[in-house]
Amino acid sequence: MEAEWLDDVEMAAWLRLVAVVELLPGVLDTQMRAAAGLTHFEYQAMAMLSEAPERTLRMSGLATRTNATLPRLSHVVRRLQERGLVERFPCPEDGRVTNVRLTDAGFAEIVAAAPGHVETVRHSVFDPLTREQVAQLRDIGEAILSRIDPDGRMTVLYDPERASEGRTQAAGE
Amino acid sequence: MEAEWLDDVEMAAWLRLVAVVELLPGVLDTQMRAAAGLTHFEYQAMAMLSEAPERTLRMSGLATRTNATLPRLSHVVRRLQERGLVERFPCPEDGRVTNVRLTDAGFAEIVAAAPGHVETVRHSVFDPLTREQVAQLRDIGEAILSRIDPDGRMTVLYDPERASEGRTQAAGE
DNA sequence: GCCGCGTGCTTGACGTGACAACTGACTGCG
DNA sequence: CGCAGTCAGTTGTCACGTCAAGCACGCGGC
């Protein structure tokens, strides 16, 4: 089994990738909590809503976009609702479905939090990279995702062809 | 503030990086739990011990290498000890520090789990990449870490010059 | 040699996510 | 119609991580 161990270059790449994967969420979370009192996940969820038509998505659609399980999202949305940042209402066309809409207050929060977030992303990730490396990173990410996210669940975001999946009927076309 | 928004290439790279960062831990964790009944973090900790002299490290040294807080590590080590995979004993030279040593049973677990782990890493990350991309990934990781881990806490691993930091006196030179 | 302070680690309480079981609503088939 | 099967979400329970104290040890001053 020793036959397919990692060679030096792979090992170096792996150690760095693991370190990034471990540390980056903490960096994003810390900045977000300090600046807006939000989890990075909460921010992501609200950002998804802010870009959706009517600022509304059904729970399962939002879950897909944020790579969350439905139970997790249910808890998070409840908390956000208690803070008045989102509102929930049953879908008129399908009684099983719950739609989530970003309130004006929630939208304001996101707009206020976005610059700081982008600033952090720039500083942590893109500033130390050359333009060429940014493109390489995109391609590498694409390749890895083809393995760990074969269904392209999170790819829905940047693949317009599939963008309609999971969008609420009421808010969609 | 709109001035420094992300451009298209950066946005594409960012979305993919976020997706990888979100999904990869789950992939590693799931495989590890199924194959060895271990968390990926527990595996990492035990792997660090297995490579240390005497298979022993002090708590704080292990915490540094695994990017864990001391309380977290304390809990994890206690659980591993209850399973007989590691043992704790006070350092004879400094009563404050506790050394952690990987037991033979723990070492056997790691050895048994390693091939499956490597297999997963290969399949998820390296197989879909060209040799060139692996080297690019290493350099990109290095650059990002210079920002999010400026002290090189996790870099101790592959920087022999600093490897002595945090190593237990008894086990070190 | 004892007292005060900094260090290394542990412990307990709390918040958050995962898994499983459950409720309510649509669908298909008689 | 009425009932079985499935689907969308919610709710409870448990495990894990984090934060804030707490404790034990070592090291300085007097």
Side-chain angles (χ1 to χ4, degrees), chain B residues 100-141:
Chain B
V100 190
R101 179 162 49 212
L102 192 63
T103 63
D104 291 344
F107 189 74
E109 286 276 336
I110 282 294
V111 170
H117 178 62
V118 174
E119 170 66 22
T120 304
V121 171
R122 278 220 165 283
H123 177 263
S124 308
V125 177
F126 293 116
D127 280 356
L129 299 182
T130 64
R131 300 267 332 150
E132 200 183 0
Q133 283 179 313
V134 174
Q136 291 168 358
L137 176 58
R138 179 199 53 198
D139 297 341
I140 291 169

Side-chain angles (χ1 to χ4, degrees), chain A residues 17 21 141 144-145 148, chain B residues 15-25:
Chain A
L17 178 59
V21 161
I144 294 177
L145 283 177
I148 65 178
Chain B
L15 288 171
R16 285 157 178 79
L17 179 59
V18 169
V20 169
V21 162
E22 294 262 315
L23 295 173
L24 196 52

